Amino acid sequence: MRSQDYDRLFLSPPHLGRHELNYVSKAIEDNWVAPVGPNLDGFERDICEFTGAWYCVALTSGTAAIHLGLRLLGVGPGDEVLCPSFTFVATANPILYLGATPVFIDSEAETWNLCPERLREALEARKHQNRLPKALIIVHLYGMPCRLREILALAAEFGVPILEDAAEALGSRYEGQPLGSFGDVGVFSFNGNKILTTSGGGALVTNSAEWARKARFWATQAKDDAPYYQHSELGYNYRLSNVLAGIGRGQMELLEDRVKKRREIYAWYRQHLAAIPGLSFGPIEPAGSHSNRWLTCLLLNPIETAITPEQLRLHLETHNIESRPLWKPLHLQPLFATVPSYGGEVCTHLFTRGLCLPSGSAMTEVDLQRVAGAIHDLLMPK
């Protein structure tokens, strides 16, 4: 059959139901459509209850949350912020917003996240130069917990605060504790492709009442307490709307089911593609962790197969199946050509070998068989 004869299988589409409609309809009936209202308050409470964080500020994007979080940590012009190279550009862009410089750290091969050994190397080198970073950003890539025990210990040893980018990791846990609750500031994304979506949105979580108050203040144009519009600080239009927060409230009711389904999809792929030479799956869960498996990712070993990830991606496209390369490391991006970097070989290697497969929580057995069949056709021709 031709590719146009199949419905498109997307990488990670939104998965909505009646739960969301109930909250959205109530917001419209009550005329609570502005960036305030009971859905917004309720969504923030739901996130706090789930993560264990004391305070939550719902925002227009995860990027906005990183921006405000770094500002809360005091990042400004001339500062340095340590950041994984293997992540989406939105992790690092807010560093530039604030006039600071990112310093990129390589991954380790199991979790694909920040390498503690490279992190120590960077911290010791920056300390020797008398310019310890203002902050450290850690990322839980593809929903996989990083090696938190080692990384938290290093940050404490050198006195560097942590912004925890859990944009892809809502619902994941490390030693029983939800991700996003380990850093001085935690960040989530609710973009349309995430495990929980508000169509577009994000959140900042913290245990500091003052930081939460400050984040809300900055996110609503930093309006001073006056009857007229007076502004003494720079602010932004970053607050999530009450309507979109209603979508989030409905999605939160289904989050545990969504995590269960994504993990089942990962297990299905592993079982049905295990016999293909040169194909493996990653990243690997560290001991005591529970990943939401936001996206299922495979690796192709060039020693065992001549097929490249790009050839496989293009082949899947002929079947109207969306797949996507792993994140291109930031130290390889033209935008960051002059930025300091520690290592880079591991994440570069992963980038050249990896591909993300369709992983949406609404996928059926037929959908999974279609993806697996197309992969078998290319990698194990009859």
Side-chain angles (χ1 to χ4, degrees):
M1 296 178 70
R2 301 164 300 170
S3 64
Q4 57 265 40
D5 294 326
Y6 297 104
D7 290 334
R8 178 75 164 165
L9 268 183
F10 292 100
L11 189 73
S12 181
H15 187 185
L16 304 176
R18 298 292 302 181
H19 295 71
E20 300 87 353
L21 190 57
N22 293 334
Y23 289 103
V24 173
S25 296
K26 179 64 173 172
I28 294 173
E29 289 171 7
D30 294 344
N31 203 32
W32 279 105
V33 297
V36 292
N39 278 342
L40 188 60
D41 296 338
F43 186 39
E44 291 175 344
R45 286 195 303 272
D46 293 342
I47 294 170
C48 286
E49 182 177 346
F50 186 86
T51 63
W54 293 0
Y55 304 98
C56 173
V57 183
L59 302 163
T60 52
S61 68
T63 310
I66 293 172
H67 184 193
L68 295 185
L70 289 175
R71 192 172 169 189
L72 287 170
L73 296 179
V75 175
D79 291 330
E80 289 186 344
V81 177
L82 299 186
C83 176
S85 180
F86 200 36
T87 184
F88 182 46
V89 71
T91 300
N93 275 345
I95 302 172
L96 301 185
Y97 297 171
L98 292 165
T101 300
V103 176
F104 294 128
I105 313 295
D106 201 0
S107 301
E108 45 86 15
E110 292 192 351
T111 70
W112 300 2
N113 289 312
L114 195 74
C115 175
E117 290 75 20
R118 288 295 195 184
L119 175 59
R120 174 173 286 282
E121 178 187 347
L123 286 167
E124 289 179 345
R126 305 331 265 186
K127 181 179 180 180
H128 182 72
Q129 297 170 22
N130 199 30
R131 52 179 304 116
L132 272 175
K134 196 74 173 182
L136 164 65
I137 299 178
I138 61 175
V139 178
H140 306 295
L141 204 67
Y142 301 116
M144 181 58 61
C146 66
R147 287 165 57 182
L148 275 163
R149 186 182 297 275
E150 299 100 312
I151 291 170
L152 292 173
L154 280 169
E157 178 183 340
F158 286 87
V160 178
I162 290 177
L163 186 148
E164 184 181 3
D165 181 352
E168 303 169 3
L170 184 64
S172 298
R173 299 176 184 272
Y174 181 82
E175 296 182 350
Q177 183 174 334
L179 298 190
S181 62
F182 287 89
D184 298 273
V185 176
V187 168
F188 299 104
S189 170
F190 310 128
N191 190 30
N193 64 355
K194 296 301 189 295
I195 197 164
L196 181 157
T197 184
T198 57
S199 81
L204 179 153
V205 295
T206 177
N207 289 340
S208 167
E210 175 57 21
W211 281 10
R213 185 199 68 77
K214 200 70 174 178
R216 285 194 182 91
F217 175 68
W218 289 334
T220 49
Q221 300 290 16
K223 180 183 178 296
D224 291 339
D225 186 15
Y228 41 82
Y229 287 93
Q230 175 171 296
H231 309 273
S232 303
E233 296 185 54
L234 178 64
Y236 316 93
N237 186 16
Y238 278 174
R239 207 70 164 99
L240 189 69
S241 81
N242 190 60
V243 174
L244 297 187
I247 300 175
R249 294 213 72 186
Q251 289 267 285
M252 284 295 294
E253 294 179 12
L254 304 169
L255 179 58
E256 295 286 19
D257 289 338
R258 298 293 192 252
V259 172
K260 180 175 181 290
K261 177 64 175 180
R262 299 264 179 161
R263 291 181 61 86
E264 289 172 351
I265 288 169
Y266 170 79
W268 192 99
Y269 277 130
R270 282 191 62 117
Q271 178 185 349
H272 290 82
L273 299 175
I276 298 178
L279 189 153
S280 62
F281 290 89
I284 299 170
E285 286 179 317
S289 68
H290 185 86
S291 170
N292 66 12
R293 292 291 181 187
W294 171 55
L295 293 181
T296 293
C297 306
L298 61 77
L299 296 172
L300 296 177
N301 187 338
I303 297 175
E304 299 181 63
T305 178
I307 301 299
T308 66
E310 179 62 6
Q311 287 173 316
L312 178 55
R313 186 188 71 80
L314 293 173
H315 174 74
L316 291 172
E317 278 294 334
T318 68
H319 292 262
N320 209 13
I321 297 170
E322 182 185 22
S323 59
R324 187 171 298 168
L326 302 186
W327 298 122
K328 182 177 180 179
L330 297 183
H331 76 276
L332 300 179
Q333 301 285 354
L335 175 63
F336 300 109
T338 62
V339 165
S341 180
Y342 288 83
E345 300 83 5
V346 173
C347 60
T348 298
H349 184 61
L350 291 168
F351 168 62
T352 60
R353 291 180 53 200
L355 195 71
C356 303
L357 298 180
S359 307
S361 53
M363 289 185 75
T364 65
E365 178 87 9
V366 171
D367 294 333
L368 291 166
Q369 290 174 349
R370 183 175 144 199
V371 178
I375 293 173
H376 274 95
D377 287 345
L378 182 65
L379 295 176
M380 294 187 70
K382 297 177 182 177

